[in-house]
Amino acid sequence: METLTYEVNDRVAEITIESPLANALSSTILTELNEILNELEAEASLKAVILKGEGKFFSAGADIKEFTEFQGGKENMAFKGQAVFDRIEQFHAPFIAAIHGAALGGGLELAMACHMRFVTKKAKIGLPELGLGIIPGFGGTQRLPRYVGDAKAYEMILTAEPVEGEEAAAIGLANQAVEEEELLDHVRRIAASIASKSKPSIEHVLRLVPNVYESTLNAGLKDEAARFEEVFRTEDASEGIKAFIEKRKPEFRDK
């Protein structure tokens, strides 16, 4: 791997973008991220993934130099980026983005594909593509309105002006804004809390929440009821209920 590293400990993976100076998203990063996803899919015990950037930024945009070599059709980098980000959004374990410094352009689009985003208070968050005479291509126009609403999405995209981390949290783009020195510890605590839960219940929640955007309320409720029954019959459900009655911590076996 030239631009990414990852490790797995205690059922949590940490992927680090290491592409100086700004961790700009390139075709190499997209290819390597896709390869890591292939490897993580084989990690049967995995329950959460942290995505972070090395150096001053999470990711300060896409690799502008590659734009000069842009080719259409199958070489369209937007299609490639969208395919990788869709895999993240549909992954069997939740992705948590730990954002410091800046998440701009493709960097924010990558973060928005994650299930959760935690930011530093002064981080710069935005989609500056219109300042270059182009538009977002990795899902920015589709995912941003889901988090902040249409009006704020129009404002952020059309002005190309970023917001700071605290505002990102206030408008729903980030889960929480914290001090920079607290970010990784905070995100690791969130990941550890998730990893302590039953794997079947985690996976069912990841399939249910997207129903809000992809189906009717009635269809979503029916899916929830069916999955509730399926989870209720697991060994972990029996253990969790028994542990609650006995006033102790459950010992889930992910079955």
Side-chain angles (χ1 to χ4, degrees):
M1 296 284 178
E2 297 178 19
T3 60
L4 299 174
T5 61
Y6 84 96
E7 58 182 2
V8 180
N9 293 298
D10 296 326
R11 299 163 296 183
V12 176
E14 287 195 17
I15 302 174
T16 306
I17 307 171
E18 298 181 353
S19 183
L21 296 169
N23 290 334
L25 288 187
S26 62
S27 57
T28 300
I29 287 180
L30 294 175
T31 297
E32 292 184 358
L33 184 54
N34 204 46
E35 292 173 359
I36 288 176
L37 290 174
N38 289 338
E39 294 177 15
L40 291 181
E41 282 181 342
E43 293 280 347
S45 63
L46 189 70
K47 294 187 183 181
V49 182
I50 295 171
L51 180 61
K52 58 190 177 71
E54 184 67 29
K56 294 182 178 180
F57 306 104
F58 172 78
S59 176
D63 190 336
I64 302 301
K65 292 181 180 179
E66 287 195 340
F67 287 174
T68 63
E69 303 170 2
F70 175 80
Q71 301 291 324
K74 294 181 180 179
E75 299 302 318
N76 187 334
M77 191 174 171
F79 288 132
K80 183 176 182 178
Q82 288 181 9
V84 176
F85 293 179
D86 284 349
R87 289 192 68 190
I88 290 174
E89 194 168 53
Q90 298 168 21
F91 204 66
H92 70 271
F95 264 73
I96 309 168
I99 301 169
H100 76 291
L104 300 171
L108 175 56
E109 290 172 303
L110 171 59
M112 287 193 293
C114 295
H115 302 88
M116 288 165 271
R117 286 154 299 283
F118 293 86
V119 301
T120 59
K121 292 182 178 180
K122 299 300 182 182
K124 300 295 184 182
I125 315 293
L127 297 173
E129 285 87 349
L130 264 70
L132 300 177
I134 58 176
I135 63 172
F138 293 163
T141 64
Q142 301 306 296
R143 289 193 174 96
L144 185 60
R146 295 185 178 190
Y147 297 120
V148 305
D150 292 356
K152 188 63 178 179
Y154 278 129
E155 177 188 338
M156 290 180 65
I157 297 171
L158 293 176
T159 66
E161 294 178 2
V163 298
E164 288 196 345
E166 287 187 293
E167 183 176 354
I171 63 178
L173 184 52
N175 293 65
Q176 189 174 350
V178 300
E179 299 294 344
E180 185 157 354
E181 62 272 16
E182 300 173 358
L183 180 64
L184 278 182
D185 284 343
H186 184 79
V187 169
R188 285 168 177 157
R189 284 195 297 272
I190 297 292
S193 177
I194 294 170
S196 71
K197 307 304 188 292
S198 167
K199 195 169 190 289
S201 56
I202 292 171
E203 292 179 349
H204 279 289
V205 168
L206 292 179
R207 297 295 169 262
L208 283 168
V209 171
N211 281 343
V212 173
Y213 304 107
E214 298 169 0
S215 70
T216 64
L217 174 60
N218 188 53
L221 290 172
K222 288 181 178 179
D223 191 20
E224 182 184 77
R227 290 177 182 273
F228 173 84
E229 181 175 357
E230 185 176 340
V231 171
F232 195 78
R233 297 179 185 276
T234 64
E235 292 181 18
D236 281 350
S238 297
E239 164 61 12
I241 294 169
K242 184 179 179 181
F244 177 80
I245 294 172
E246 296 175 355
K247 298 182 179 180
R248 61 174 174 81
K249 289 185 177 180
E251 297 180 4
F252 294 129
R253 299 177 60 191
D254 297 331
K255 295 181 179 180

